[in-house]
Amino acid sequence: CDPHGGCITCGDEGVPMRVLAVGADGLGTCAARDGAPAQVDLALVPGAGPGDDVLVHVGVALVRLGAGAPR
């Protein structure tokens, strides 16, 4: 998946989201541009934390986006 296209496997798009909080279980509360919060698995993006932008596909953050990528 990439931010300019869809997943070659299922056709869904990756959604850029901002990490709002991270729980001890590795799940994060993230918000899309519309502000709606969602629970996201952050296991594939170690070190992601509040304020980071991540690309989310099917509830899983795949990569960190922007100037902070990667850490």
Side-chain angles (χ1 to χ4, degrees):
C1 300
D2 70 63
H4 305 293
C7 175
I8 61 172
T9 303
C10 69
D12 284 346
E13 293 184 9
V15 178
M17 300 184 89
R18 173 136 315 147
V19 179
L20 303 176
V22 179
D25 57 2
L27 296 177
T29 300
C30 298
R33 290 191 178 126
D34 65 6
Q39 192 171 54
V40 173
D41 183 349
L42 297 172
L44 297 178
V45 188
D52 287 335
D53 292 321
V54 293
L55 184 66
V56 177
H57 175 68
V58 193
V60 177
L62 301 175
V63 295
R64 184 179 285 113
L65 300 172
R71 281 191 206 165

